[in-house]
Amino acid sequence: MRPAERNRVTPLGEIVAIPLRGAWTGNRGVLHEGREIVRPHRGNLWITCALEFRGRWREQWLPNRWTHLYFHDEAVSFAAGHRPCGECRHADYQAYRRAWTESVGGAPPSAGEMNRRLHAERLVAGTRRRRLHPMPWRDLPDGTFVLAGPTPASRHSQHTESALPAHRADPELVLGGELVTWAHHGYRGRRPRPGRGEVDVITPPATVAVLRAGYPVQIDPGATG
């Protein structure tokens, strides 16, 4: 059996080699040379695409063409910092944009405006480090990913620019009154969701607002089993 290639994305946005199947593909630009990932992103356009669209097919790992990435479900892709593609997922893109307008406020955003804000929210400015966002437990909608383990390093950072701790817990999905753990083989284990205090949120705040406004995020059935 051929080993898994490094093109799967975790909720923290990392690109890893795991056998977990993806419900979605997507891209961040040209990230590969040969069959190796050599950069985490190129630019601020991070999108999630349908696996099939109008019968189109394109070989992976083509030179100077965007790199196919794969996501376990849409909640994972949102946590990683991606948004729906405006072409192959036009209806979802419009639903995301409407929810953004309703929750974030202002005029309906352009794709570029959303890209810029999401990019600022997923990475610490001027670095490749993942940015976390402390938020109250009570305000988190279903589909949000959190990092609820001990994070002493992050608590010394600015309130909205927490960095990943050296020893971190697995990402957990908010689902009703529970937290469901995500690992490299999928969802496993659950525990009660705390009702008070704050937690480091992985999903960018703009997308958390979109989820709060009612965007129907796709979550793998394994999270509810």
Side-chain angles (χ1 to χ4, degrees):
M1 183 176 179
R2 187 172 181 172
E5 296 190 278
R6 186 175 166 228
N7 56 12
R8 270 60 167 179
V9 180
T10 74
L12 286 161
E14 300 159 321
I15 304 172
V16 296
I18 56 176
L20 192 64
R21 297 289 297 177
W24 306 94
T25 186
N27 80 87
R28 305 173 184 174
V30 182
L31 312 183
H32 65 280
E33 293 179 5
R35 302 178 77 91
E36 297 294 325
I37 300 292
V38 297
R39 60 184 67 86
H41 66 89
R42 174 167 279 179
N44 63 18
L45 174 64
W46 295 27
I47 57 176
T48 310
C49 299
L51 293 176
E52 297 182 8
F53 179 62
R54 296 180 180 175
R56 297 180 187 176
W57 181 88
R58 185 171 70 89
E59 183 181 348
Q60 300 187 57
W61 309 111
L62 291 174
N64 301 314
R65 301 293 182 90
W66 60 270
T67 305
H68 282 273
L69 302 175
Y70 294 92
F71 309 90
H72 182 46
D73 61 18
E74 190 177 27
V76 168
S77 77
F78 277 178
H82 291 241
R83 63 161 176 82
C85 173
E87 181 183 11
C88 66
R89 301 185 60 201
H90 185 71
D92 292 336
Y93 170 80
Q94 293 294 354
Y96 182 93
R97 187 167 175 256
R98 285 193 301 271
W100 180 300
T101 303
E102 177 182 336
S103 58
V104 176
S110 67
E113 288 169 339
M114 291 190 291
N115 294 343
R116 288 188 289 273
R117 175 158 177 172
L118 289 171
H119 200 63
E121 292 180 349
R122 60 189 167 230
L123 298 177
V124 176
T127 77
R128 291 182 174 179
R129 290 187 298 131
R130 184 67 195 210
R131 184 177 172 185
L132 302 178
H133 303 267
M135 296 182 186
W137 278 110
R138 65 179 181 274
D139 293 340
L140 300 180
D142 286 2
T144 302
F145 267 94
V146 302
L147 204 61
T151 56
S154 73
R155 297 309 182 194
H156 291 86
S157 303
Q158 293 183 18
H159 181 73
T160 60
E161 291 197 358
S162 299
L164 291 180
H167 302 286
R168 68 185 191 227
D170 287 327
E172 293 176 290
L173 175 76
V174 174
L175 195 61
E178 296 183 317
L179 298 176
V180 186
T181 301
W182 187 93
H184 284 182
H185 53 274
Y187 292 105
R188 60 168 180 81
R190 60 190 65 241
R191 64 187 179 95
R193 168 184 175 176
R196 294 183 295 177
E198 287 190 335
V199 64
D200 280 332
V201 175
I202 303 171
T203 308
T207 296
V208 173
V210 165
L211 294 174
R212 192 180 295 121
Y215 178 92
V217 62
Q218 181 265 333
I219 297 174
D220 187 83
T224 58

